Structure formats: C-alpha cells, structure tokens
Amino acid sequence: QQQVRQSPQSLTVWEGETAILNCSYEDSTFDYFPWYWQFPRESPALLIAIRPVSNKKEDGRFTIFFNKREKKLSLHITDSQPGDSATYFCAASDGTGGLSGKLTFGEGTQGTVIS
Amino acid sequence: DPKIIQKPKYLVAVTGSEKILICEQYLGHNAMYWYRQSAKKPLEFMFSYSYQKLMDNQTASSRFQPQSSKKNHLDLQITALKPDDSATYFCASSQDEGSNTEVFFGKGTRLTVV
C-alpha cells in the first residue's frame, strides 16, 4: 500500500506560470511533510517542509498548502523558471514513533519548465 | 565539499557476489540512514541508525546488512547480489532530536548487478 501518493506523474508548464503539485497521505500519525527535489544524476535535496500545526508554508516562489482533514497537501511554484525542472518528491515522517529521518516518499512528479 | 561521502560512486557486480557500500558523514549528525532508489520504486527507506544503534529496518531481506564502526560511518553490506538489487543507494543523515529535522543525502552509489 502506497502511503504517500503524488499527482500528476509529470507536469509541464511555461516559464512564468504557476505549477501545482499534489500529494496525499494515508497515515494520520505523519507529522512532518518535506518536499524534496532531485535533478538528474543528483541526490534529493530539501526544498521546503511543513508541520500540521500550519496550513501554509511559504519560501520565496515555493508554497505548501496543507489540509489536515483531507490528508492532502500541494506545492505551488509561482513564476516557474527553467532551472526548476526537476523531479519533486513529497515525503512524510512520524517523529513520535522513531527517527524523523525515516521518510516515506511518494513516487514523484517530473516537472519541466519550458522557456 | 561534500559532507556525506559515499564510495564508490558506481559499482558493477556479478550476480551472487557480495559488495560493501561505504558511507561517512561529516555533518556531526547522530542519525544515519540508507535509502534505495530504482526505476521500479520511488525513494525507499531501508535502515536507520542512531548513535550506532539500529533503530528501524524496513528491508525484508537479510542479504542487506548495515555496519556502523563509528558514529559517522554507516556502511551497507549486500550479499548474494541479484539483478533486482540494481539501484542507486543513498546514504543520508540528520541531527535527529525527535522533531522534524532535515535529512541530508549523499551523492549515492549506483549499483548494477549483471
């Protein structure tokens, strides 16, 4: 059973547009939701993260919207740039049951920004 | 300079052989992890260690054995290699204080089993 699901599988937007990436989860004990991005032949790197005490987290052009009741979150990337082309992973962890670094990842969204 | 060093970067192994993937972190973190990424599956948690103690094992096969000789070392021994083990293995670490801390990933070891 996939605990963290992402959609769409791939997303192409024009430069300057807003990209919206979706994520949902099953486990109600998850209490930390980081988004990682990964460029080809590189390792994943933390982009932005949110805790359920907030329903929004913003960092520059990147914003997470979180809906605890529906167990859904989304990543909005405004003014998309070609350099944003990467695979985006939604992840979740339950820090109360063990190490918070035990992350459950979604399958990823392949994002492409066309100039 | 990379703070999490994984060796080797690429590895080709014969089916049935045994290999050790090396990982050292210089971030001063107390927790270390192994993750696997393959074409068939997303990033998949394998093991977690804290202060050199195994905290969690999500790997079904005993062919995968982590080894921690020092606090900042977490190697991964894989025995009886199979073609399905072909993947990129990422070592990661965090300063885990029980509450939502960033996980840093190494560059990975890309393993191909032929």
Side-chain angles (χ1 to χ4, degrees):
Chain A
Q1 181 183 11
Q2 184 66 22
Q3 292 277 349
V4 177
R5 293 194 175 97
Q6 289 185 246
S7 65
Q9 191 172 20
S10 64
L11 177 65
T12 299
V13 298
W14 291 98
E15 183 175 357
E17 289 187 334
T18 296
I20 299 175
L21 292 71
N22 300 303
C23 179
S24 63
Y25 62 97
E26 301 283 337
D27 194 336
S28 298
T29 63
F30 286 147
D31 61 358
Y32 176 59
F33 300 89
W35 284 83
Y36 280 78
W37 56 352
Q38 184 178 28
F39 297 95
R41 294 172 297 281
E42 295 290 326
S43 54
L46 179 66
L47 177 60
I48 187 172
I50 194 168
R51 306 178 187 183
V53 292
S54 303
N55 56 20
K56 181 181 177 181
K57 178 73 176 290
E58 192 170 352
D59 184 356
R61 297 185 293 109
F62 302 91
T63 303
I64 300 175
F65 293 93
F66 182 78
N67 185 324
K68 186 175 181 179
R69 183 178 60 84
E70 295 187 6
K71 297 183 185 176
K72 292 181 178 179
L73 54 159
S74 60
L75 175 67
H76 292 227
I77 307 173
T78 58
D79 188 24
S80 295
Q81 302 296 311
D84 297 335
S85 296
T87 300
Y88 291 79
F89 291 99
C90 175
S93 75
D94 171 12
T96 59
L99 295 178
S100 61
K102 179 186 174 184
L103 297 169
T104 300
F105 284 87
E107 294 187 338
T109 294
Q110 176 66 52
T112 303
V113 180
I114 300 173
S115 58
Chain B
D1 291 336
K3 300 298 185 183
I4 300 179
I5 299 173
Q6 289 190 243
K7 297 176 184 177
K9 189 173 182 179
Y10 301 99
L11 184 58
V12 179
V14 176
T15 296
S17 67
E18 171 183 317
K19 293 294 179 184
I20 296 179
L21 282 56
I22 306 295
C23 178
E24 305 171 20
Q25 58 94 0
Y26 296 95
L27 293 164
H29 290 165
N30 64 295
M32 296 186 70
Y33 314 85
W34 278 102
Y35 283 83
R36 175 170 53 193
Q37 186 176 38
S38 67
K40 297 178 182 178
K41 292 184 178 181
L43 281 158
E44 181 183 22
F45 170 86
M46 300 180 71
F47 299 98
S48 63
Y49 267 67
S50 179
Y51 294 105
Q52 295 184 262
K53 291 184 179 180
L54 178 66
M55 300 297 290
D56 205 337
N57 177 358
Q58 292 293 314
T59 303
S61 174
S62 61
R63 297 186 299 107
F64 295 85
Q65 290 293 328
Q67 300 170 344
S68 181
S69 59
K70 300 179 184 178
K71 177 185 172 184
N72 68 327
H73 283 234
L74 185 63
D75 300 336
L76 181 63
Q77 180 185 39
I78 313 174
T79 59
L81 279 160
K82 303 177 180 180
D84 268 356
D85 298 331
S86 297
T88 299
Y89 291 81
F90 289 103
C91 177
S93 70
S94 68
Q95 185 55 40
D96 195 276
E97 296 173 321
S99 179
N100 313 331
T101 59
E102 181 175 353
V103 178
F104 294 82
F105 286 81
K107 296 290 187 183
T109 291
R110 183 173 293 182
L111 171 66
T112 302
V113 182
V114 298

